[in-house]
Amino acid sequence: MIRKLRAASAPWTLVVPVAAFVVLVLTWHEHLPGWVVGVVALFLIGAVLAAVHHAEVIAHWTGEPFGSLVLAVAVTVIEVALIVTLMADGGDKSATLARDTVFAAVMITCNGIMGLSIIVAALRYRTAVFNAEGTGTALACIATLATLSMVLPTFTTSTPGPQFSTTQLGYAATASLVVYGLFVTTQTLRHRDYFLPVTPEGGIRRDEDDDHGGPPTLRAAGVSLLLLAVALVSVVGLAKGVSPTIESAVDDAGLPHAVVGVVIAMMVLLPETIAALRSAVRNRVQTSLNLALGSALASIGLTIPAVAIASTWLSGPLVLGLAPSHMVLLTLTVVLGTLTVIPRRATLLQGALHLGVLAEFVVLAVNP
C-alpha cells in the first residue's frame, strides 16, 4: 500500500499546496468572517497532509536521519517567522508569546508525539524499540537549552521580572545556535548510526526492510521539496490568518492568553505528528523520536536566537522565564524521558505516562 501511494503521486498532493497558498494570498491581512475561517481551516488541514506526504518522499530519497531533520527544521523556521510576525503586531500583549509557543512545542513533542508514537508501536508490536544513544543525546540537548533559555530568566536579577538582560539574552541565543549546530553535526555526520531505526534485536533497520519500493528520482525529490516549502508556508500563514479568531475565542471564553500559544503550536506541529505516527505504524520508532525531539530542539535552538535579534527592534518586552508550575512540568518531562530512553524499549505504560504529563500541561494552560 505504501509503495502504491508513493508511486502514484496522487494529484491532490500536487494541487492542494498550491491551492492553499492561493487561499493564503487572498486572505492575507483580511478580516475573515466565520464561514471563511472554516474554509481556511480545511485548506490548512489539506496543506498539513500534503506536507507530510512530500516530507516522506524527501525522507525516502535522503534516508534517515536527514528526512526527519528536513521536516523539523522547515517547520520550525516558518514557525519562528510566525512568532516574530505575531510579536510585531501584538505589542505588550505578545511579550510571552515566544515563551508560550516554544514551551508548548516542547511539551507537545516530548510528551504528545513521543507518547503517541510509543503507544502506536506498542499496540502493534508489543514494545517500541529505538536507539538510546541518539534519543538520549537529543533529550540532553533539549534539557540544556530549555534550562538556559527558559528557566534561568526566572532567577536572574539584572532585569526586573522573568527577563534576560541584553548580555544574558545574547549568550542564550549564541548557546542555542551552537548546541543545535553541534547536535545536527552529530546526527548527520559523526554518529549518524545513533539516529537510525533499529530492529527488535538491536540491529540497524535498513530501508529495504520495509515495503517502500525504489527511492524517488532526483526530479521527484526536487518537486517534493518545493511543494513541501509551499505547503509549510501555507500551513503557518493560514494559521496566522485564523489566529485572530482563536484569540477572540480564547478571550470570550475567559481563558489565559497562553492558550493561544498552545493552539498555535498544535497547528504548526501537525505535520510532524502525522509523520511520526506513520513511522511508528511501520515500527520505525526511532524516526518518530527523531521527528519529536528534533522538532523540540529546533524550536528552542532557532526561536531564541530569532527573537533575540527581533527584540532589538520590537518595542515590547521579551519574557522568556517559565512559571514555577511549568518548570515542574519541564523537570518531570526530562526525568520521564530519560527513564523511557534508558531501556531502549518502551511499552504502553511509558507512552501513557507521557500523555498524562501533556494532559496536565493543557489543564494548567486552561486553568493555571
Side-chain angles (χ1 to χ4, degrees):
M1 177 62 72
I2 294 171
R3 181 169 63 242
K4 291 179 180 179
L5 286 174
R6 285 181 173 170
S9 294
W12 72 268
T13 63
L14 307 177
V15 174
V16 169
V18 178
F21 186 79
V22 171
V23 172
L24 170 61
V25 172
L26 294 176
T27 58
W28 187 254
H29 282 312
E30 296 290 337
H31 178 72
L32 306 180
W35 70 271
V36 176
V37 172
V39 173
V40 168
L42 291 177
F43 277 97
L44 191 153
I45 294 171
V48 167
L49 297 176
V52 172
H53 169 82
H54 292 298
E56 289 193 335
V57 172
I58 295 169
H60 190 36
W61 183 72
T62 61
E64 279 297 314
F66 295 99
S68 57
L69 180 65
V70 168
L71 180 58
V73 172
V75 169
T76 304
V77 168
I78 304 173
E79 174 192 353
V80 169
L82 173 62
I83 292 173
V84 173
T85 302
L86 292 176
M87 289 179 65
D89 295 339
D92 290 348
K93 191 177 181 180
S94 62
T96 62
L97 180 63
R99 179 200 66 186
D100 295 337
T101 305
V102 170
F103 185 66
V106 171
M107 290 293 105
I108 292 169
T109 53
C110 294
N111 290 309
I113 299 179
M114 188 171 176
L116 284 174
S117 299
I118 290 173
I119 287 177
V120 168
L123 285 173
R124 192 175 178 90
Y125 304 102
R126 191 173 177 83
T127 58
V129 294
F130 42 83
N131 196 322
E133 287 85 357
T135 308
T137 298
L139 191 61
C141 291
I142 292 170
T144 300
L145 291 189
T147 301
L148 291 178
S149 302
M150 295 189 291
V151 174
L152 285 181
T154 305
F155 299 98
T156 55
T157 58
S158 298
T159 304
Q163 301 180 47
F164 273 142
S165 67
T166 302
T167 301
Q168 294 165 345
L169 182 60
Y171 173 77
T174 303
S176 297
L177 282 177
V178 170
V179 171
Y180 185 66
L182 289 173
F183 172 77
V184 171
T185 301
T186 300
Q187 184 184 35
T188 59
L189 297 177
R190 295 187 63 85
H191 299 286
R192 181 185 174 190
D193 54 317
Y194 288 177
F195 299 88
L196 297 178
V198 296
T199 64
E201 295 76 25
I204 299 298
R205 189 182 185 91
R206 303 297 178 184
D207 285 341
E208 55 266 25
D209 296 335
D210 296 321
D211 188 21
H212 278 177
T217 63
L218 177 61
R219 179 180 178 182
V223 171
S224 286
L225 181 61
L226 176 62
L227 290 175
L228 173 63
V230 173
L232 292 177
V233 168
S234 301
V235 168
V236 181
L238 294 176
K240 182 182 185 299
V242 301
S243 61
T245 303
I246 296 172
E247 291 179 347
S248 298
V250 168
D251 292 338
D252 293 342
L255 299 175
H257 193 69
V259 175
V260 176
V262 176
V263 175
I264 291 175
M266 286 182 172
M267 289 191 298
V268 172
L269 288 170
L270 270 177
E272 283 104 324
T273 303
I274 297 174
L277 294 181
R278 292 178 67 167
S279 293
V281 168
R282 300 199 300 268
N283 203 21
R284 300 174 68 86
V285 180
Q286 184 61 50
T287 300
S288 302
L289 299 186
N290 289 345
L291 282 164
L293 301 182
S295 295
L297 188 55
S299 185
I300 304 173
L302 299 179
T303 301
I304 299 303
V307 297
I309 295 173
S311 66
T312 61
W313 53 267
L314 292 176
S315 57
L318 177 61
V319 177
L320 293 177
L322 294 173
S325 59
H326 285 171
M327 285 189 281
V328 171
L329 286 178
L330 178 62
T331 302
L332 179 58
T333 297
V334 172
V335 172
L336 178 59
T338 302
L339 295 177
T340 299
V341 166
I342 289 175
R344 299 172 180 266
R345 61 185 64 239
T347 65
L348 281 171
L349 177 58
Q350 283 97 331
L353 290 175
H354 282 281
L355 291 185
V357 176
L358 176 64
E360 180 62 24
F361 164 70
V362 175
V363 169
L364 291 177
V366 174
N367 185 16

